[in-house]
mmCIF file of all heavy atoms in Angstrom:
data_model
loop_
_atom_site.group_PDB
_atom_site.id
_atom_site.type_symbol
_atom_site.label_atom_id
_atom_site.label_comp_id
_atom_site.label_asym_id
_atom_site.label_seq_id
_atom_site.Cartn_x
_atom_site.Cartn_y
_atom_site.Cartn_z
ATOM 1 N N VAL K 23 16.005 -24.943 -13.106
ATOM 2 C CA VAL K 23 15.813 -25.284 -11.696
ATOM 3 C C VAL K 23 14.378 -24.989 -11.266
ATOM 4 O O VAL K 23 13.766 -25.763 -10.511
ATOM 5 C CB VAL K 23 16.823 -24.531 -10.802
ATOM 6 C CG1 VAL K 23 16.623 -23.023 -10.886
ATOM 7 C CG2 VAL K 23 16.726 -24.996 -9.350
ATOM 8 N N GLY K 33 3.448 -32.567 -8.289
ATOM 9 C CA GLY K 33 3.292 -33.924 -7.781
ATOM 10 C C GLY K 33 2.947 -33.950 -6.307
ATOM 11 O O GLY K 33 2.106 -34.739 -5.862
ATOM 12 N N ARG K 54 2.711 -10.744 -21.158
ATOM 13 C CA ARG K 54 2.971 -9.381 -20.709
ATOM 14 C C ARG K 54 3.035 -9.370 -19.182
ATOM 15 O O ARG K 54 2.532 -10.296 -18.528
ATOM 16 C CB ARG K 54 1.884 -8.422 -21.208
ATOM 17 C CG ARG K 54 0.486 -8.767 -20.723
ATOM 18 C CD ARG K 54 -0.523 -7.697 -21.102
ATOM 19 N NE ARG K 54 -0.311 -6.466 -20.356
ATOM 20 C CZ ARG K 54 -1.208 -5.466 -20.319
ATOM 21 N NH1 ARG K 54 -2.324 -5.562 -21.010
ATOM 22 N NH2 ARG K 54 -0.957 -4.393 -19.611
ATOM 23 N N GLY K 89 14.240 -13.402 4.330
ATOM 24 C CA GLY K 89 14.634 -14.568 5.112
ATOM 25 C C GLY K 89 14.511 -15.868 4.341
ATOM 26 O O GLY K 89 15.321 -16.792 4.530
ATOM 27 N N ILE K 90 13.523 -15.960 3.474
ATOM 28 C CA ILE K 90 13.352 -17.174 2.668
ATOM 29 C C ILE K 90 14.487 -17.295 1.658
ATOM 30 O O ILE K 90 15.050 -18.373 1.446
ATOM 31 C CB ILE K 90 11.986 -17.151 1.953
ATOM 32 C CG1 ILE K 90 10.856 -17.136 2.977
ATOM 33 C CG2 ILE K 90 11.843 -18.341 1.014
ATOM 34 C CD1 ILE K 90 9.478 -16.998 2.370
ATOM 35 N N VAL K 95 20.103 -23.887 0.920
ATOM 36 C CA VAL K 95 19.613 -24.774 -0.125
ATOM 37 C C VAL K 95 18.472 -24.146 -0.918
ATOM 38 O O VAL K 95 18.623 -23.838 -2.103
ATOM 39 C CB VAL K 95 19.164 -26.153 0.442
ATOM 40 C CG1 VAL K 95 18.774 -27.078 -0.713
ATOM 41 C CG2 VAL K 95 20.272 -26.781 1.270
ATOM 42 N N THR K 154 -0.449 -1.812 1.563
ATOM 43 C CA THR K 154 -0.694 -1.190 0.260
ATOM 44 C C THR K 154 0.430 -1.419 -0.747
ATOM 45 O O THR K 154 0.357 -0.930 -1.875
ATOM 46 C CB THR K 154 -0.895 0.330 0.423
ATOM 47 O OG1 THR K 154 0.304 0.915 0.970
ATOM 48 C CG2 THR K 154 -2.064 0.626 1.353
ATOM 49 N N ALA K 157 -0.559 -2.789 -4.226
ATOM 50 C CA ALA K 157 -1.333 -1.801 -4.978
ATOM 51 C C ALA K 157 -0.435 -0.693 -5.501
ATOM 52 O O ALA K 157 -0.555 -0.262 -6.660
ATOM 53 C CB ALA K 157 -2.444 -1.222 -4.101
ATOM 54 N N ARG K 158 0.471 -0.212 -4.659
ATOM 55 C CA ARG K 158 1.371 0.853 -5.080
ATOM 56 C C ARG K 158 2.303 0.377 -6.193
ATOM 57 O O ARG K 158 2.629 1.135 -7.121
ATOM 58 C CB ARG K 158 2.176 1.376 -3.890
ATOM 59 C CG ARG K 158 1.323 2.127 -2.878
ATOM 60 C CD ARG K 158 2.155 2.792 -1.785
ATOM 61 N NE ARG K 158 2.779 1.826 -0.895
ATOM 62 C CZ ARG K 158 4.074 1.535 -0.885
ATOM 63 N NH1 ARG K 158 4.896 2.163 -1.725
ATOM 64 N NH2 ARG K 158 4.559 0.656 -0.031
ATOM 65 N N PRO K 166 -1.703 -4.561 -14.956
ATOM 66 C CA PRO K 166 -2.982 -5.069 -14.439
ATOM 67 C C PRO K 166 -2.787 -5.894 -13.176
ATOM 68 O O PRO K 166 -1.704 -6.427 -12.927
ATOM 69 C CB PRO K 166 -3.496 -5.949 -15.594
ATOM 70 C CG PRO K 166 -2.680 -5.590 -16.785
ATOM 71 C CD PRO K 166 -1.361 -5.125 -16.266
ATOM 72 N N ILE K 222 -8.372 5.270 -10.441
ATOM 73 C CA ILE K 222 -7.356 5.647 -9.456
ATOM 74 C C ILE K 222 -6.359 6.608 -10.105
ATOM 75 O O ILE K 222 -5.703 6.258 -11.093
ATOM 76 C CB ILE K 222 -6.612 4.416 -8.913
ATOM 77 C CG1 ILE K 222 -7.598 3.398 -8.310
ATOM 78 C CG2 ILE K 222 -5.570 4.837 -7.886
ATOM 79 C CD1 ILE K 222 -8.313 3.872 -7.086
ATOM 80 N N VAL K 246 -15.821 -15.937 -1.604
ATOM 81 C CA VAL K 246 -17.152 -16.285 -1.086
ATOM 82 C C VAL K 246 -17.679 -17.589 -1.671
ATOM 83 O O VAL K 246 -18.078 -18.495 -0.925
ATOM 84 C CB VAL K 246 -18.142 -15.124 -1.310
ATOM 85 C CG1 VAL K 246 -19.571 -15.569 -1.001
ATOM 86 C CG2 VAL K 246 -17.766 -13.923 -0.448
ATOM 87 N N PRO K 247 -17.712 -17.765 -3.003
ATOM 88 C CA PRO K 247 -18.259 -19.026 -3.533
ATOM 89 C C PRO K 247 -17.379 -20.240 -3.261
ATOM 90 O O PRO K 247 -17.872 -21.377 -3.285
ATOM 91 C CB PRO K 247 -18.375 -18.754 -5.038
ATOM 92 C CG PRO K 247 -17.441 -17.632 -5.307
ATOM 93 C CD PRO K 247 -17.412 -16.798 -4.077
ATOM 94 N N PRO K 261 -5.442 -25.761 15.710
ATOM 95 C CA PRO K 261 -5.258 -25.217 17.071
ATOM 96 C C PRO K 261 -4.034 -24.326 17.208
ATOM 97 O O PRO K 261 -3.883 -23.652 18.233
ATOM 98 C CB PRO K 261 -5.116 -26.491 17.919
ATOM 99 C CG PRO K 261 -4.556 -27.511 16.983
ATOM 100 C CD PRO K 261 -5.181 -27.210 15.656
ATOM 101 N N PRO K 270 -11.501 -6.693 7.894
ATOM 102 C CA PRO K 270 -12.390 -5.600 7.511
ATOM 103 C C PRO K 270 -13.106 -5.854 6.180
ATOM 104 O O PRO K 270 -13.970 -5.091 5.785
ATOM 105 C CB PRO K 270 -11.441 -4.406 7.385
ATOM 106 C CG PRO K 270 -10.170 -5.024 6.937
ATOM 107 C CD PRO K 270 -10.104 -6.377 7.604
#
Side-chain angles (χ1 to χ4, degrees):
V23 63
R54 60 173 290 193
I90 298 175
V95 185
T154 62
R158 291 187 291 107
I222 304 294
V246 170

